[in-house]
Amino acid sequence: MKDLILIALESEAPTMAKWDNVFFTGVGKINATYNTLQLINIHKPKLIINYGTAGAINTKLKGIVECTKFYQRDMDVRGLDFEL
């Protein structure tokens, strides 16, 4: 398969559920990672598109947004001398 489109939940894109290159990974980093690796091993895609939302602070965002920075907001590593 040339391209994979990965979505956490079918409710995020119900009309795409019938496409043969769309897969639902489940919510969260562990589900996304595990299921993405399984799909890569099975389908050997050339391109992976992650489609969905990820709790943006700016509620005015619309359309397609290219992410250029990523923050781990569910981890507290201050005990390892990192900032929260």
Side-chain angles (χ1 to χ4, degrees):
M1 187 170 291
K2 185 177 176 184
D3 302 334
L4 295 181
I5 300 172
L6 305 181
I7 306 170
L9 299 172
E10 185 175 340
S11 61
E12 292 182 280
T15 58
M16 295 171 69
K18 297 175 186 168
W19 299 6
D20 64 351
N21 66 332
V22 171
F23 297 91
F24 301 99
T25 62
V27 174
K29 294 184 282 190
I30 302 300
N31 284 328
T33 301
Y34 177 81
N35 290 310
T36 299
L37 288 173
Q38 295 290 337
L39 291 164
I40 289 169
N41 284 328
I42 293 167
H43 298 287
K44 313 240 184 300
K46 299 284 184 196
L47 175 69
I48 297 174
I49 298 170
N50 180 37
Y51 179 89
T53 59
I57 295 171
N58 182 347
T59 59
K60 295 178 183 178
L61 292 174
K62 301 277 189 247
I64 296 174
V65 177
E66 181 180 358
C67 299
T68 58
K69 292 183 181 179
F70 301 89
Y71 298 92
Q72 296 291 340
R73 295 162 91 182
D74 59 348
M75 296 175 60
D76 183 352
V77 291
R78 289 177 287 187
L80 300 173
D81 293 326
F82 290 95
E83 292 182 25
L84 180 64

